[in-house]
Each structure stands twice: as structure tokens, then as C-alpha cells.
């Protein structure tokens, strides 16, 4: 089946290179927008149909007009990376299509940043020096975004872990106090403990002894060894 598809594809490409009418070209780009790369001087109608089918096909066009850009962005926000003449309105269309299109926005205005964050907090990763309000919105939308922060205020950390205690797995700077708060909500989160701490393990087990099965293997063996030594004293 794959070989037959490749043979048909090759035949289509040959016909495009030899030359075909607009109706045939239209059918071609409606099958796959990527066929646009084989067309010389395609009409605007053909270009629109191509990017409506596959927004990223805009990369085959030189200086596409605004209407074509909008169709491409609505189909795939990531097509923004191939659009040279960006403005806030076009970027908003891209973000509405896919929030992570913020990555390709050259001028990240507050309007565009909050538009993206409102859809997905993980887009905070594309923002240099986010403000407190930006971090807050990101955390409220997706607490896992704390993985992108080197430092986080206690207030924001509390908000993140209250919404989703398991977000602790993404934060490498949690102190013992933070860990105790998380473990008090769910002792099984001991699985995400990165630095061995016998007191934290004992604290988790005091809440639920079965949580020991989630402990890292090397931590489990070390804890057992210490417990055995203590019992022999």
C-alpha cells in the first residue's frame, strides 16, 4: 500500500512539474497542502486552499498576503514562524489556534502573553522575565509550569501545590517544610523525592506505611539499612 501511494505521489509531482490546470491543482492541494511546493506561480485561490488544508504550507510562499496568512494561522498557529510581517492581530490569531505559537511571536506584548497564558500556563516557558501576575496566571491554569521557574515565592508555591500537589515533581528547590506540606496531602508523592531524607520518609510512612513502595529503590534500600541498624542498637 505504501509503495502504491509513493508511485501515485510521484506521478502527481510529475504532472505538476509538466503543468496542469487550476482545477487539477486545486484538487491536488486539497489532498495535501504540501503539494504547493511543486507549483510554480500558484494563484491566490490555490494558495488559500493549500494553507486551509495545511497551514505550514505557507512556508513555500514568498511574501504571502494577509488573507493567506490568516487562513494558515487558523489552520495551524505554528505557521507563524514562517510569516515575516507579524503584527499583534496576526499573532493573536496564531495563539487562538495554538497557545504555544507564542514561541514564534517576535514582539511578545502583554496582551499576547496573557492571551496565551489564559489558554495554557505552560506557555510561560517562552516569556523572558515574567511578572508576578504572569506567573500567577500560568500556575492557576497549569501548576506544572513551575518546572520553568528557577525561583518561586512561597506564596506562588503554595498556590501551585494547593491546586496540584504532584507538581512538586517539577520543582527541584523544595525545602523540607514544603515537602512536609505536600506529603501531608498525599504521602505517595514520596516517589518524587530527589534528595534522601530519613525524616521525610519516616513522616510519609507515619501517614501511610504503604507509601514506602513508591520510594526510589536506592532510597528504600538505604532506609531499610538504617532502620535495621537502629533496631539492633
Amino acid at each position: 500500500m505504501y509503495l502504491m501511494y509513493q508511485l501515485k505521489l510521484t506521478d502527481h509531482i510529475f504532472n505538476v512539474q509538466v503543468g496542469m490546470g487550476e482545477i487539477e491543482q486545486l484538487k491536488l492541494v486539497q489532498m495535501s497542502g504540501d503539494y504547493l511546493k511543486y507549483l510554480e506561480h500558484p494563484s491566490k485561490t490555490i494558495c488559500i486552499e493549500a494553507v486551509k488544508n495545511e497551514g505550514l504550507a505557507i512556508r513555500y510562499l514568498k511574501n504571502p498576503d494577509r488573507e493567506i496568512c490568516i487562513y494558515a494561522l487558523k489552520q495551524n498557529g505554528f505557521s507563524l514562524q514562517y510569516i515575516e510581517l507579524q503584527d499583534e492581530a496576526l499573532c493573536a490569531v496564531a495563539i487562538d489556534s495554538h497557545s504555544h505559537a507564542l514561541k514564534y511571536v517576535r514582539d511578545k506584548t502583554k496582551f499576547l502573553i496573557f492571551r496565551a497564558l489564559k489558554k495554557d500556563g505552560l506557555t510561560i516557558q517562552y516569556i523572558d522575565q515574567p511578572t508576578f501576575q504572569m506567573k500567577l496566571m500560568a500556575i492557576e491554569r497549569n501548576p506544572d509550569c513551575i518546572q520553568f521557574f528557577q525561583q518561586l515565592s512561597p506564596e506562588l508555591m503554595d498556590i501551585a501545590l494547593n491546586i496540584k500537589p504532584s507538581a512538586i515533581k517539577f520543582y527541584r528547590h523544595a525545602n523540607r517544610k514544603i515537602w512536609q506540606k505536600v506529603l501531608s496531602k498525599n504521602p505517595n508523592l514520596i516517589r518524587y523525592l530527589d534528595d534522601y531524607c530519613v525524616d521525610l520518609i519516616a513522616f510519609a510512612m507515619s501517614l501511610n506505611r504503604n507509601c514506602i513502595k513508591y520510594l526510589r529503590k536506592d532510597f528504600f534500600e538505604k532506609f531499610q539499612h538504617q532502620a535495621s541498624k537502629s533496631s539492633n542498637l
Side-chain angles (χ1 to χ4, degrees):
M1 290 293 292
Y2 178 76
L3 180 59
M4 288 294 293
Y5 172 77
Q6 289 297 314
L7 289 172
K8 288 180 180 179
L9 180 63
T10 303
D11 184 53
H12 279 309
I13 293 171
F14 175 76
N15 287 331
V16 170
Q17 291 171 337
V18 169
M20 60 166 57
E22 186 169 54
I23 294 177
E24 287 78 13
Q25 291 182 6
L26 191 61
K27 290 179 180 178
L28 203 58
V29 296
Q30 286 174 339
M31 280 198 306
S32 171
D34 282 334
Y35 278 123
L36 190 61
K37 65 182 174 181
Y38 301 112
L39 301 178
E40 293 185 4
H41 311 299
S43 68
K44 183 173 179 176
T45 300
I46 297 298
C47 293
I48 288 175
E49 286 301 315
V51 299
K52 282 171 67 176
N53 183 295
E54 174 49 74
L56 294 177
I58 200 170
R59 66 186 183 273
Y60 305 123
L61 300 176
K62 291 183 179 179
N63 303 316
D65 69 19
R66 188 177 188 83
E67 185 179 9
I68 294 172
C69 290
I70 290 174
Y71 276 114
L73 292 170
K74 284 183 175 179
Q75 199 284 324
N76 189 329
F78 289 146
S79 61
L80 184 66
Q81 63 189 294
Y82 301 111
I83 296 175
E84 290 297 323
L85 300 177
Q86 296 183 4
D87 59 40
E88 194 171 59
L90 283 177
C91 293
V93 174
I95 289 169
D96 288 345
S97 173
H98 199 303
S99 58
H100 286 259
L102 181 66
K103 177 180 180 179
Y104 301 109
V105 174
R106 297 190 188 96
D107 183 15
K108 295 180 176 66
T109 64
K110 285 186 178 180
F111 169 77
L112 294 172
I113 288 172
F114 281 106
R115 198 179 188 96
L117 290 174
K118 190 174 181 179
K119 289 171 66 70
D120 186 354
L122 295 180
T123 57
I124 195 82
Q125 63 187 290
Y126 309 121
I127 303 168
D128 293 329
Q129 299 180 333
T131 65
F132 177 89
Q133 288 301 322
M134 291 174 186
K135 290 180 180 180
L136 177 60
M137 178 172 280
I139 288 170
E140 289 176 341
R141 292 301 184 275
N142 191 334
D144 288 347
C145 72
I146 64 174
Q147 64 188 286
F148 301 112
F149 303 137
Q150 288 299 315
Q151 291 185 333
L152 203 58
S153 69
E155 179 184 358
L156 289 175
M157 175 59 75
D158 280 345
I159 292 171
L161 297 180
N162 281 332
I163 297 172
K164 188 178 181 180
S166 63
I168 191 72
K169 66 184 175 182
F170 293 115
Y171 197 68
R172 306 305 180 195
H173 310 286
N175 57 34
R176 184 176 299 188
K177 184 179 179 180
I178 292 172
W179 265 109
Q180 283 184 327
K181 187 172 183 178
V182 168
L183 292 173
S184 66
K185 294 182 178 182
N186 186 350
N188 292 343
L189 294 178
I190 196 74
R191 71 176 71 188
Y192 300 123
L193 187 67
D194 279 330
D195 296 317
Y196 181 82
C197 178
V198 65
D199 291 339
L200 286 175
I201 296 171
F203 174 72
M205 289 185 65
S206 71
L207 299 172
N208 182 359
R209 294 192 64 83
N210 289 330
C211 74
I212 193 71
K213 66 184 179 182
Y214 296 108
L215 195 61
R216 269 175 42 177
K217 183 179 178 181
D218 54 331
F219 288 179
F220 175 76
E221 291 174 350
K222 188 173 182 179
F223 183 77
Q224 274 195 322
H225 179 70
Q226 288 185 321
S228 177
K229 285 180 63 177
S230 297
S231 64
N232 290 332
L233 292 179

